[in-house]
């Protein structure tokens, strides 16, 4: 899993460029995918399994329309892409076995759903920094 904000840290690593001392405390959501391009798996990198949060322009801080990816798992709060009643509940998908996102596992896997909700909340809170 790679996302647009991985571009800057990847290029910085490829060029062996470090941030200035004044910028070391600045948040950077992206991660270098250079190890992945070199054949490594996320699981074997220093960061471990890939995690990334995402939100939509219409989203607000209550997390409606926001989501989180953790390895093969995807968690979404109140999907904007689906207007059916069941899409307004928390959505949890195992993308390794359900790439089409047809089987919501949120009710079947409460501990994982809670973990994903906590991860999403932590990511959303990190945007405040």
């Amino acid at each position: 899993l790679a996302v647009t904000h991985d571009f800057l840290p990847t290029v910085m690593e490829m060029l062996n460029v470090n941030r200035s001392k004044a910028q070391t405390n600045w948040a950077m959501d992206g991660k270098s995918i250079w190890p992945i391009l070199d054949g490594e798996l996320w699981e074997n990198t220093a960061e471990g399994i890939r995690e990334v949060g995402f939100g939509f322009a219409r989203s607000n801080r209550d997390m409606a329309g926001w989501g989180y990816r953790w390895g093969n798992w995807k968690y979404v709060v109140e999907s904007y892409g689906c207007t059916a009643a069941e899409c307004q509940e928390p959505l949890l998908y195992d993308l390794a076995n359900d790439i089409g996102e047809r089987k919501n596992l949120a009710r079947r896997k409460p501990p994982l759903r809670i973990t994903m909700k906590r991860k999403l909340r932590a990511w959303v809170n990190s945007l405040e920094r």
Side-chain angles (χ1 to χ4, degrees), residues 59-80:
S59 299
N60 52 36
R61 290 285 191 232
D62 71 0
M63 298 191 308
W66 293 57
Y68 202 80
R69 282 284 310 269
W70 181 38
N72 292 327
W73 294 99
K74 180 179 179 183
Y75 175 76
V76 178
V77 179
E78 296 181 25
S79 172
Y80 284 135

Side-chain angles (χ1 to χ4, degrees), residues 11-102:
V11 171
M12 289 176 69
E13 183 175 354
M14 290 170 64
L15 298 175
N16 199 25
V17 173
N18 295 312
R19 294 194 281 176
S20 70
K21 287 184 182 181
Q23 297 175 345
T24 56
N25 290 331
W26 294 6
M28 185 182 297
D29 282 339
K31 309 223 183 275
S32 173
I33 63 167
W34 185 245
I36 307 312
L37 295 173
D38 201 31
E40 236 181 293
L41 298 174
W42 278 117
E43 294 81 20
N44 299 332
T45 65
E47 284 127 13
I49 295 173
R50 183 65 196 263
E51 300 185 45
V52 64
F54 56 91
F56 300 97
R58 300 184 319 184
S59 299
N60 52 36
R61 290 285 191 232
D62 71 0
M63 298 191 308
W66 293 57
Y68 202 80
R69 282 284 310 269
W70 181 38
N72 292 327
W73 294 99
K74 180 179 179 183
Y75 175 76
V76 178
V77 179
E78 296 181 25
S79 172
Y80 284 135
C82 174
T83 57
E86 60 268 14
C87 295
Q88 303 314 303
E89 299 175 14
L91 305 170
L92 179 66
Y93 301 107
D94 177 3
L95 298 180
N97 296 304
D98 181 21
I99 195 67
E101 300 177 12
R102 303 219 187 278

Side-chain angles (χ1 to χ4, degrees), residues 96-113:
N97 296 304
D98 181 21
I99 195 67
E101 300 177 12
R102 303 219 187 278
K103 297 176 190 152
N104 181 7
L105 302 175
R107 290 186 180 184
R108 291 186 215 153
K109 297 194 174 283
L112 181 58
R113 183 189 70 232

